[in-house]
Amino acid sequence: MVWVPVLVLLGITSFVEAFTFNHVGRFLPLYLESMGLPAADIPPLVGLLGGARWVFGLPLIPFWGVWADRFGRKPVIVRSALIEAAMFFILAGARDPLGAGAALLLVGFQLGNTGVMLAAIRATAPPGMLARAIALFGLGASLGQALGPLVGGLLVGSGVTDLHGLYLLDGVLSLGAALLLILFLREGPRPPAPPGRAADLARDALRRVFTARVTLTLFLVMGLAQLGTMIATPFLPLVVQRLDRSAGASVATDVGLVFGLSAVVGALLSPFGGWLGDRFGYRPPLVGACVLSGVSLAAMTGLNDLVSLTLAATGLGLGGATARAMVMALLATRVPEDRRTVTLNLSLVPSYAAGISGGLVGAVLVGGGLAWVLLAGAAVALGAAAAAT
């Protein structure tokens, strides 16, 4: 039963990561506003910071799987939690955009833990429990994405703390997750460390993944679907502010309610997409999910109340979650066994690339207004549907 404590510990780690990082994504505009930044400067800076935080992580992605095989999965996972804690402590103490930017650049060194955690679960879970174990692990991230904005918005909106205090709490939670891992995580068996230099092994992994047609096709679809979302996501809190020009605390509550409730509903509905995939094949739900994301983003340009915005955000979240699940299912079933592990380790590369380019594209387009950002994201998401077809 060693797999149960491994699953619990990694599920807690995934929950804390999603819970805390959603406070950055959803409250970054308000955080910059609290520093006295002029309102006109906030939208482009939100886009630039949203993209820049992925920059350092992208070149390191191939190495984390190699280092996990060589030095153990536990050190790689603990490293991620510790850097996460450091980032939040710096955010809590920052008093100007330069300090905030320096903190967010640390995100790049925090990435690369999801594939390693999945490998640890796969190594310990019994064959008959593997699918359920992975599903339960994913539930931690879904709950964190749902509760992060909701709890954070209520804490700030009710005056319990400000955003600096919220980020301090996030740092404590991340440090606590790291300590739990250090004290109690016992990783399962792993294959012998492959011989050769890490750079050569990483290069070989990239070659094997990016020369397979099925992988390139699915990565293209995933990249376009994520790009459509990433162009718009950093600016969605500004859509809430456009509808509610109250004091910052009140806006924080509305941001938390809109994105917290939409994430809860999306998480509850997301298994339906998996049922459709098992019944009708993975491609139809993938196409439908991309269309749903595009329509939801386009609809946000004309919404005038928070209830409708919450419904649209639910459609966006459900579409994104279903698209990711279908791509992962296709990778797991269509990629040959000898390439499957390295492929899953690199499966988030399209998301990281989309995070960088989406933030930069959004920063340029937002100068023409929020509608341009939303419509651009919708167009790219519909392009992903066409590619999947």
Side-chain angles (χ1 to χ4, degrees), residues 20-346:
T20 55
F21 269 100
N22 266 270
H23 294 158
V24 178
R26 299 313 184 190
F27 302 127
L28 184 58
L30 291 175
Y31 179 65
L32 295 174
E33 186 179 280
S34 71
M35 295 177 174
L37 206 65
D41 295 341
I42 291 177
L45 187 57
V46 166
L48 290 173
L49 291 177
R53 60 181 174 151
W54 306 96
V55 168
F56 291 111
L58 196 57
L60 294 174
I61 294 301
F63 288 92
W64 294 122
V66 172
W67 287 329
D69 286 339
R70 176 159 294 179
F71 303 112
R73 302 183 186 105
K74 180 174 177 176
V76 173
I77 299 170
V78 170
R79 170 267 327 172
S80 183
L82 290 174
I83 293 177
E84 181 182 314
M87 183 204 73
F88 281 113
F89 287 139
I90 295 174
L91 273 179
R95 291 297 181 266
D96 55 59
L98 186 61
L104 291 176
L105 288 178
L106 287 176
V107 174
F109 299 100
Q110 182 272 341
L111 301 173
N113 60 342
T114 303
V116 179
M117 288 193 285
L118 286 171
I121 293 171
R122 184 176 182 179
T124 55
M129 294 293 296
L130 181 59
R132 276 171 283 182
I134 292 176
L136 289 171
F137 170 72
L139 183 61
S142 296
L143 289 174
Q145 291 169 359
L147 295 177
L150 189 59
V151 173
L154 292 174
L155 287 175
V156 175
S158 62
V160 174
T161 184
D162 60 7
L163 287 172
H164 292 277
L166 182 64
Y167 292 143
L168 180 62
L169 173 62
D170 290 336
V172 172
L173 290 174
S174 300
L175 184 59
L179 292 176
L180 283 176
L181 293 170
I182 292 171
L183 293 174
F184 301 112
L185 180 62
R186 301 291 182 265
E187 63 174 292
R190 53 189 174 92
R197 297 189 310 149
D200 294 334
L201 294 171
R203 186 164 49 248
D204 181 63
L206 287 171
R207 180 189 59 78
R208 289 198 291 162
V209 170
F210 287 98
T211 54
R213 180 179 177 184
V214 62
T215 307
L216 288 174
T217 303
L218 290 172
F219 277 22
L220 172 64
V221 175
M222 172 70 92
L224 288 174
Q226 290 292 97
L227 178 60
T229 300
M230 293 295 187
I231 289 174
T233 293
F235 306 96
L236 295 183
L238 295 172
V239 178
V240 177
Q241 287 182 260
R242 182 190 67 188
L243 301 179
D244 182 357
R245 294 306 306 166
S246 306
S250 176
V251 175
T253 301
D254 287 338
V255 169
L257 288 173
V258 168
F259 296 110
L261 292 175
S262 64
V264 168
V265 176
L268 293 176
L269 292 177
S270 59
F272 180 66
W275 177 82
L276 289 176
D278 289 336
R279 187 172 180 84
F280 302 108
Y282 299 127
R283 191 188 308 187
L286 174 58
V287 174
C290 294
V291 170
L292 178 60
S293 295
V295 171
S296 299
L297 284 171
M300 290 182 184
T301 60
L303 299 179
N304 296 310
D305 63 273
L306 294 177
V307 174
S308 300
L309 181 60
T310 303
L311 292 175
T314 300
L316 178 62
L318 177 60
T322 302
R324 286 191 298 273
M326 294 303 102
V327 169
M328 292 298 179
L330 285 165
L331 286 172
T333 55
R334 296 197 179 183
V335 173
E337 178 66 29
D338 62 332
R339 299 186 183 187
R340 191 169 298 161
T341 299
V342 294
T343 299
L344 291 175
N345 278 336
L346 293 170

